[in-house]
Amino acid sequence: MSPYALSIMMSSLAVGTTMTLTSNHWFLAWMGLEFNTLAIIPLMTKNHHPRATEAATKYFLMQALASALILFSATMNAWFMGEWEITNMSYPMSATLLTVALAMKLGIAPFHLWLPDVLQGLNLFTCLILSTWQKIAPMILMIQTHTQLNTNLLIIMAIMSTIIGGWGGLNQTHLRKIMAYSSIAHLGWMTLVLCFMPTLTTFNLIIYIVMTTVMFMMLMNMSSTTINKMAMSWLKSPTMAASMMIILMSLGGLPPTTGFIPKWLIIQEMTKQNMIAITTIIALSSLLSLFFYLRMSYSISLTTSPNTSNFNSIWRQNNQNTTILSMTIIFSTLMLPITPTMINIMN
């Protein structure tokens, strides 16, 4: 793709998300979501591969259906209640349709089936955008309307997402599908606490974006798309491979990494709400996700001897432009000690 075309597509993504974040009217928010959808489709199809075309087609159909539901729910609310403002979605049927539409936009279970197939057909850079930047606008809309959304439906979808996100990734060997199911599981945690503490959902979203960005940047650096290719990471860059193991543990939510913070705070908040059974279910379902993170760590560290080669191979890792990656690794692994400060900022 031409650099000029790429800059136009990236600018359109930024404009669409910014339009949705700053709008107070449903029609402007809907326009921002459409900007996002139309801007990323050329990035999906730039490989001119049948699988990329299939992924772009699936993504377009799902996003178009979700956008139609959003517009329909906003129009219904305006018809019955006379309100176009985002924070005044007070008609019950409109609120339920909006909950379903935003879940389809994000890929929350049971509307998740498109996400693994779409990510599998894209390159790693487009997967990075789809897994991080494209989640911001729909999630912010959910946070803005959290008092009007259907709470019981959100809790059911959250439990399904954490279970399916862990269960679906167990037998996968392609890293893009594993990251898709990881995204589904993380979205389940965000959705669960949305109605009780939306600031914690925002905090969880930020940490998820940082960790997922680091993971995809590492995969792009290593040119790894399957678990078997990850076994060569030690030979390409031992430092990067060791860092990838820590990032995987952070995605799994193990202390003392950054990924432990949102799970800890969400479990604490749900316990305060006397939802012990639901908290136990999502805590146990996170063990499923932890299993395939551990399996990926095993393939990195134990399937190939952690020694560098004795000669300079032509395919050896070229360690350039790693400053941003190093900073994001630090933020995604070492933020646990400043948790009290971040909680005070949220409150």
Side-chain angles (χ1 to χ4, degrees):
M1 179 178 286
S2 168
Y4 299 106
L6 181 61
S7 64
I8 292 174
M9 295 301 108
M10 300 301 291
S11 300
S12 299
L13 284 172
V15 168
T17 302
T18 306
M19 184 184 298
T20 303
L21 296 186
T22 57
S23 61
N24 194 36
H25 195 281
W26 269 115
F27 191 69
L28 287 177
W30 175 79
M31 285 180 61
L33 294 173
E34 290 304 295
F35 263 105
N36 271 0
T37 301
L38 297 177
I40 200 173
I41 287 177
L43 297 177
M44 291 180 170
T45 57
K46 68 178 182 179
N47 288 339
H48 302 292
H49 190 275
R51 186 169 289 175
T53 306
E54 178 187 354
T57 305
K58 288 180 179 179
Y59 181 77
F60 175 76
L61 292 176
M62 289 300 301
Q63 297 300 306
L65 179 58
S67 295
L69 280 178
I70 290 174
L71 193 59
F72 180 64
S73 65
T75 307
M76 183 185 296
N77 186 72
W79 178 266
F80 286 101
M81 309 303 296
E83 287 287 348
W84 277 101
E85 291 187 4
I86 292 177
T87 55
N88 289 329
M89 181 67 70
S90 52
Y91 188 62
M93 181 60 70
S94 298
T96 303
L97 285 176
L98 181 65
T99 306
V100 172
L102 292 176
M104 292 175 64
K105 279 277 185 185
L106 290 166
I108 299 173
F111 311 104
H112 67 285
L113 295 174
W114 62 271
L115 186 58
D117 291 337
V118 168
L119 286 189
Q120 181 60 29
L122 306 177
N123 59 16
L124 291 173
F125 176 69
T126 313
C127 287
L128 169 61
I129 297 174
L130 192 61
S131 300
T132 55
W133 186 263
Q134 293 294 89
K135 305 291 185 188
I136 295 176
M139 185 56 74
I140 293 300
L141 285 177
M142 291 190 80
I143 293 170
Q144 288 179 331
T145 59
H146 72 277
T147 55
Q148 285 86 29
L149 297 180
N150 192 321
T151 305
N152 293 329
L153 184 59
L154 284 176
I155 293 175
I156 292 172
M157 290 193 300
I159 295 173
M160 291 181 64
S161 295
T162 52
I163 294 174
I164 293 174
W167 201 276
L170 290 180
N171 62 341
Q172 301 296 332
T173 57
H174 292 275
L175 299 180
R176 287 167 290 190
K177 280 196 173 183
I178 290 177
M179 293 305 296
Y181 284 108
S182 170
S183 175
I184 294 168
H186 279 90
L187 287 170
W189 284 85
M190 296 180 214
T191 308
L192 181 66
V193 79
L194 177 63
C195 294
F196 306 103
M197 194 174 180
T199 53
L200 188 53
T201 300
T202 308
F203 179 59
N204 196 350
L205 177 65
I206 294 171
I207 290 182
Y208 161 75
I209 288 175
V210 172
M211 292 190 300
T212 307
T213 301
V214 174
M215 191 62 199
F216 273 111
M217 288 175 68
M218 285 184 170
L219 295 178
M220 287 188 286
N221 222 328
M222 298 289 187
S223 300
S224 299
T225 54
T226 62
I227 290 181
N228 290 334
K229 290 183 180 179
M230 290 182 69
M232 302 299 294
S233 300
W234 279 109
L235 298 178
K236 293 181 180 180
S237 178
T239 305
M240 191 75 71
S243 302
M244 189 181 291
M245 291 173 56
I246 300 174
I247 297 299
L248 288 170
M249 296 302 99
S250 183
L251 283 168
L254 285 183
T257 58
T258 304
F260 174 66
I261 304 174
K263 288 184 170 58
W264 166 33
L265 295 178
I266 289 172
I267 289 175
Q268 183 181 18
E269 179 63 28
M270 298 306 294
T271 305
K272 290 179 181 178
Q273 300 293 334
N274 292 323
M275 304 179 73
I276 308 299
I278 294 175
T279 306
T280 305
I281 291 172
I282 63 165
L284 291 176
S285 64
S286 66
L287 297 178
L288 298 173
S289 301
L290 182 61
F291 176 81
F292 60 75
Y293 293 133
L294 287 172
R295 188 178 62 155
M296 293 167 68
S297 299
Y298 169 81
S299 68
I300 296 171
S301 59
L302 298 177
T303 54
T304 302
S305 178
N307 298 317
T308 58
S309 56
N310 295 324
F311 56 92
N312 291 325
S313 303
I314 58 175
W315 46 265
R316 187 164 176 79
Q317 177 68 30
N318 186 14
N319 292 316
Q320 295 179 354
N321 301 324
T322 57
T323 304
I324 298 177
L325 184 58
S326 302
M327 293 300 296
T328 49
I329 289 173
I330 292 173
F331 281 121
S332 60
T333 54
L334 302 177
M335 288 174 62
L336 186 62
I338 62 173
T339 302
T341 304
M342 292 185 288
I343 294 175
N344 291 331
I345 291 174
M346 286 192 301
N347 295 330

